[in-house]
Amino acid sequence: MKNMCAFILAAIASVLLTGCSEKSASDADELVYISPHKKSIKSEFENAFKKYYKEQTGREVRFVPRSIDGGSSTILNYIRNVYSSSETCGIDLLWGTGENPHILLEKEGLLEPLELSAAIYENIPEEFGGMRMYGKGKCWYGNVLSSFGMIYNKEILTNLNLPTPKQWSDIAGSEFYGQVVLADPSHSGSMAATLEMIVQSCDNWQDGWQLVISILGNAKKFTQGSGEAADAPRLGEAAAATCIDYYGLDRVAKNPEALGYVSPEGGTGYTPDPISMLKNPPHKETAKAFIEFILSPKGQALWILPSGAKDGPEGAALNRMPIRKDVYDIYKDELPEYIKSPYKIAAPLQLDGELREVRYDVLVYLVKAAAIDNTDLLQKARKKVHENPELIKKFAILPENIDTVEKIHQLHTKIKNNDERYAIVSEWSKHFRKLFTEIIDN
């Protein structure tokens, strides 16, 4: 009996100790987020915030990243689908994807308005280069800037006697036929943004489309993501690829002898890559603290400082442009030589932010119809145009319902409707199929 009592007491003690242990392990505050950022970026900010949060609150924080396979459009649709049947999606933050998903979610009432500290507004302009740096309703905040350009393989350029690309028009020429890799803009938000940069660098919509279709026609292939496209020059598969500055700088930093990157002067603007709090977040205060941290000088420094710097990343440099103005001055003695403050560039492209927003989906699906649905015909027609440059005007003929900016505005709403979009894109695909076939048979 005595042994039995001892056994029961030991069992009770074991249960109590186990319970205490579980309570201790789960005592940390949680933060649930969804992000397309790669693992190294997530790890750097998670580790830095854990230290900051402990200093500020005396508490631990545990990150719970939600994994969604796919790009920005997949993440956007996932969030929409969850909210269609619930008042909360169980996620605190959307971090990354480019600004378009955040703009759409704000309009749809699926983001939480958030007032931040005064120092943040003092150092992040409301607008820059025609683009908003944070949402009108303060539901999303840019936390890093993105520009767009071209990564190129120096050896391939030399071997093929190709010029080093400096402007978008350089990769539209006949010498780059079959030597450019591009991402599919219906899967890549950064490629969609690049297309708009190309168009807005021209004097009008027709000239912009002619430049876009000329570049598309030079494509060796179309990849699912912008990162995959940027790898093509690195792997020796093509001379050049369009990409977001981050992908270009990251690859060049690892192999500067073989690779180069350029953002076309006057041909790219700066767009914000935001962070936002989703509607009815489960851990609102912790999520707000993370946003405040990522927009603080120390949080911003993680994006740009080299590895080993006092406030820099523990691993490899992240090579992205902070959105706060003061960070470029605070850390000026520690910044890599190739980093310049975007706020001090003489003539960045001044974007028409309203037109960019209206044209975003329209341009994506137009390119899908012309290039993704008709890749083989596009490439063959482009080769014919290179042989006979007089065909360029015919090659760039737009479908009648989208040949002016006014008509783009009219299509903006229609293309958001699934049935109408399917009919519109189908007609566009037929237009380009007929157009390219006529050029090939010329």
Side-chain angles (χ1 to χ4, degrees):
M1 184 69 178
K2 185 175 181 181
N3 290 339
M4 179 63 70
C5 289
F7 175 79
I8 293 172
L9 288 172
I12 293 172
S14 175
V15 170
L16 290 173
L17 285 171
T18 300
C20 290
S21 175
E22 288 178 353
K23 182 178 179 181
S24 175
S26 64
D27 199 35
D29 295 336
E30 277 193 351
L31 182 55
V32 185
Y33 71 85
I34 187 169
S35 173
H37 286 313
K38 66 178 186 176
K39 186 177 180 180
S40 59
I41 291 176
K42 296 174 186 176
S43 296
E44 290 292 350
F45 280 93
E46 286 182 10
N47 292 338
F49 181 67
K50 285 175 181 178
K51 295 173 186 174
Y52 167 85
Y53 194 72
K54 181 72 173 179
E55 291 170 0
Q56 297 295 313
T57 67
R59 296 178 60 77
E60 306 288 341
V61 62
R62 183 166 66 90
F63 284 88
V64 184
R66 291 285 176 84
S67 224
I68 303 294
D69 291 331
S72 56
S73 59
T74 305
I75 292 172
L76 175 62
N77 288 332
Y78 170 81
I79 293 170
R80 283 170 165 166
N81 288 338
V82 176
Y83 276 113
S84 68
S85 59
S86 175
E87 283 299 304
T88 180
C89 69
I91 300 171
D92 298 298
L93 298 173
L94 172 61
W95 180 26
T97 71
E99 82 276 20
N100 194 59
H102 297 261
I103 290 171
L104 293 173
L105 289 172
E106 180 178 27
K107 286 183 176 180
E108 294 164 21
L110 299 181
L111 298 183
E112 197 83 13
L114 199 61
E115 190 72 34
L116 302 179
S117 62
I120 290 173
Y121 299 108
E122 290 169 6
N123 285 286
I124 300 178
E126 191 171 347
E127 288 191 3
F128 175 59
M131 297 298 299
R132 291 199 64 87
M133 296 292 104
Y134 54 87
K136 290 182 180 179
K138 296 182 178 178
C139 288
W140 60 264
Y141 291 86
N143 69 105
V144 66
L145 290 171
S146 300
S147 64
F148 304 84
M150 297 162 281
I151 182 173
Y152 52 87
N153 182 301
K154 297 176 183 178
E155 184 178 359
I156 293 178
L157 293 180
T158 300
N159 291 343
L160 297 178
N161 198 26
L162 296 175
T164 299
K166 295 180 180 178
Q167 297 294 334
W168 299 120
S169 56
D170 292 335
I171 60 171
S174 59
E175 61 271 29
F176 273 90
Y177 179 74
Q179 285 298 327
V180 182
V181 172
L182 307 167
D184 177 352
S186 63
H187 291 283
S188 169
S190 61
M191 184 61 206
T194 300
L195 292 169
E196 184 64 26
M197 299 291 170
I198 294 170
V199 172
Q200 292 213 21
S201 70
C202 297
D203 292 335
N204 54 60
W205 166 228
Q206 285 76 16
D207 288 348
W209 174 249
Q210 182 172 307
L211 181 54
V212 166
I213 195 70
S214 296
I215 294 171
L216 294 172
N218 277 350
K220 181 177 183 178
K221 66 178 181 178
F222 295 94
T223 63
Q224 287 287 97
S226 185
E228 187 182 348
D231 277 335
R234 179 181 68 83
L235 297 172
E237 295 177 352
T242 61
C243 65
I244 193 170
D245 57 358
Y246 161 65
Y247 286 135
L249 293 173
D250 178 65
R251 284 151 180 77
V252 171
K254 292 173 182 174
N255 197 354
E257 297 300 317
L259 302 171
Y261 172 82
V262 61
S263 286
E265 187 174 343
T268 182
Y270 290 86
T271 63
D273 196 7
I275 187 168
S276 59
M277 187 183 293
L278 295 170
K279 178 184 173 184
N280 297 325
H283 314 101
K284 185 172 183 177
E285 292 307 313
T286 310
K288 181 180 179 181
F290 184 73
I291 293 176
E292 290 266 6
F293 168 74
I294 210 171
L295 294 176
S296 70
K298 281 193 174 184
Q300 291 279 286
L302 276 175
W303 288 119
I304 201 62
L305 288 182
S307 177
K310 181 185 174 184
D311 293 328
E314 296 174 355
L318 302 181
N319 287 310
R320 299 208 63 179
M321 307 293 285
I323 198 167
R324 275 186 74 125
K325 291 181 176 181
D326 58 347
V327 171
Y328 295 95
D329 293 323
I330 293 171
Y331 296 96
K332 63 182 179 181
D333 295 333
E334 299 173 73
L335 294 180
E337 290 184 6
Y338 57 85
I339 297 298
K340 308 295 179 187
S341 169
Y343 299 107
K344 294 179 181 178
I345 290 176
L349 178 63
Q350 293 295 305
L351 294 169
D352 184 333
E354 182 181 351
L355 177 57
R356 181 176 181 268
E357 186 178 336
V358 168
R359 189 160 51 196
Y360 187 93
D361 287 334
V362 178
L363 185 54
V364 164
Y365 286 106
L366 182 65
V367 169
K368 181 182 185 301
I372 309 303
D373 294 348
N374 290 292
T375 303
D376 186 54
L377 290 174
L378 167 71
Q379 292 169 336
K380 289 178 180 177
R382 183 61 175 138
K383 188 174 182 181
K384 274 279 190 175
V385 174
H386 287 320
E387 295 168 358
N388 183 4
E390 291 182 3
L391 290 171
I392 187 63
K393 292 299 181 184
K394 182 177 180 68
F395 184 62
I397 291 176
L398 284 155
E400 189 177 344
N401 65 345
I402 195 176
D403 59 4
T404 67
V405 171
E406 290 72 25
K407 291 177 181 178
I408 290 172
H409 279 268
Q410 293 169 15
L411 285 170
H412 171 58
T413 303
K414 289 182 179 180
I415 211 155
K416 293 185 181 301
N417 178 280
N418 289 338
D419 293 334
E420 289 196 76
R421 181 175 65 246
Y422 180 80
I424 291 168
V425 176
S426 294
E427 286 303 311
W428 285 348
S429 293
K430 290 177 185 176
H431 164 87
F432 289 112
R433 189 157 54 247
K434 180 175 181 292
L435 182 67
F436 297 153
T437 300
E438 289 176 357
I439 291 173
I440 294 166
D441 294 339
N442 185 277

